Amino acid sequence: MEVIKFAPTRPDYVPLDNIKPQPAKNFIPEWYKKMPNHLEKDEPATELLRTLNSSTVKRCPSFRDIFKYGIAMPAPCDIYLSATKGEWRWETPSGIMEIEYHEDYQFKDHYPNQDVKGVFKLHYPLMVMTPPGWSVMQIPLMYHHNPDWYFAWGILDSDQYHDVNPQLIYVSDKRELLIKQGEPLFYFYPYKRAEWEVEMLEYGDMQDLYRETRWKLSTRFAGRYYKNFRKKS
């Protein structure tokens, strides 16, 4: 098992449980939690048929695994932000975390999205370190439906560079925002770096694999992915 390490950048940092980096599954959105695994309507006619044939995306691996493998980075303190009509401001209690405003010419003026009011750069009070050859991908919160702000995608070669300085994109029409301590801000997703090149095969070169995959996915009512594929990894 690989280990991703975090260390405070300041001596007064207290690692409270609600602000520690932690599995993304600790912050699953409420709408996702409430979603049924299967259709709850009267059709199909029986409960067993609903269970077998009417699953929702809650049972889809691509949805579930982002919560399983991502590492959530919570707000270490309350964060006040304001970015309206070219004026910006930020505050944290006692200045416990520094924040910069990215000047508009650096991003906002060039990005073709008029909803962006400004971009703030957080000097997160932790450093991150991964094993040699491993990086972390900075990912905005998936499926949290936040209309006010999100963090930019990015990559940090955290085996060599360890500062955590994520960029918050302010898209709210509100004059000011308050992010509370412990709220998830973004995900880190560790991955092993590798050099890649693309090779395009001919039709039929992977036909046997395709046939085997389709067979495994079409011969079980439930658990087809985890039972036939994930168990090998």
Side-chain angles (χ1 to χ4, degrees):
M1 177 182 294
E2 302 291 350
V3 177
I4 180 171
K5 300 178 181 179
F6 294 92
T9 60
R10 47 189 300 155
D12 55 350
Y13 178 90
V14 178
L16 302 174
D17 288 340
N18 67 321
I19 67 172
K20 290 180 182 178
Q22 53 196 279
K25 66 181 180 181
N26 292 356
F27 297 102
I28 296 177
E30 285 301 317
W31 72 265
Y32 187 87
K33 291 181 181 179
K34 294 176 181 178
M35 185 187 353
N37 287 319
H38 302 278
L39 188 69
E40 292 186 327
K41 296 182 179 179
D42 293 335
E43 298 179 357
T46 70
E47 182 177 352
L48 180 57
L49 282 176
R50 285 197 298 273
T51 301
L52 296 180
N53 298 321
S54 305
S55 61
T56 67
V57 296
K58 195 170 186 177
R59 302 185 69 247
C60 177
S62 64
F63 277 74
R64 295 166 63 179
D65 284 356
I66 190 65
F67 300 122
K68 181 176 181 181
Y69 295 108
I71 297 171
M73 304 295 290
C77 59
D78 290 348
I79 301 170
Y80 171 90
L81 299 174
S82 177
T84 55
K85 297 181 180 180
E87 298 180 359
W88 56 270
R89 179 182 173 186
W90 66 267
E91 286 190 26
T92 60
S94 304
I96 196 169
M97 182 174 67
E98 293 294 319
I99 300 176
E100 296 179 24
Y101 184 79
H102 266 306
E103 297 298 337
D104 291 347
Y105 71 84
Q106 294 179 286
F107 176 80
K108 177 181 177 297
D109 291 346
H110 308 280
Y111 189 57
N113 184 343
Q114 299 303 310
D115 292 335
V116 175
K117 308 300 190 301
V119 179
F120 292 87
K121 177 180 177 180
L122 279 62
H123 293 271
Y124 200 90
L126 290 179
M127 301 181 74
V128 58
M129 183 170 62
T130 47
W134 286 76
S135 296
V136 289
M137 184 176 296
Q138 178 182 298
I139 303 177
L141 299 176
M142 304 299 291
Y143 314 121
H144 280 252
H145 186 60
N146 186 333
D148 295 323
W149 54 267
Y150 63 91
F151 277 80
W153 291 80
I155 287 176
L156 177 65
D157 290 340
S158 43
D159 58 341
Q160 305 171 50
Y161 182 84
H162 311 293
D163 289 0
V164 179
N165 301 132
Q167 302 81 23
L168 182 147
I169 313 255
Y170 192 116
V171 293
S172 180
D173 290 328
K174 300 174 183 176
R175 290 187 55 84
E176 54 188 1
L177 299 175
L178 177 63
I179 302 173
K180 295 183 179 180
Q181 182 187 59
E183 284 189 47
L185 300 177
F186 59 94
Y187 301 139
F188 270 156
Y189 190 98
Y191 70 97
K192 192 171 185 178
R193 296 192 303 275
E195 296 291 332
W196 295 91
E197 62 181 35
V198 176
E199 179 182 358
M200 189 67 193
L201 304 178
E202 298 291 336
Y203 172 77
D205 286 348
M206 297 180 67
Q207 200 63 27
D208 288 343
L209 288 174
Y210 178 77
R211 185 172 63 250
E212 178 182 343
T213 298
R214 300 315 302 171
W215 175 264
K216 290 179 177 179
L217 291 177
S218 62
T219 53
R220 290 179 182 267
F221 282 116
R224 60 193 74 172
Y225 178 82
Y226 286 101
K227 291 177 181 178
N228 287 328
F229 297 99
R230 180 54 58 79
K231 66 180 182 180
K232 296 182 180 180
S233 61

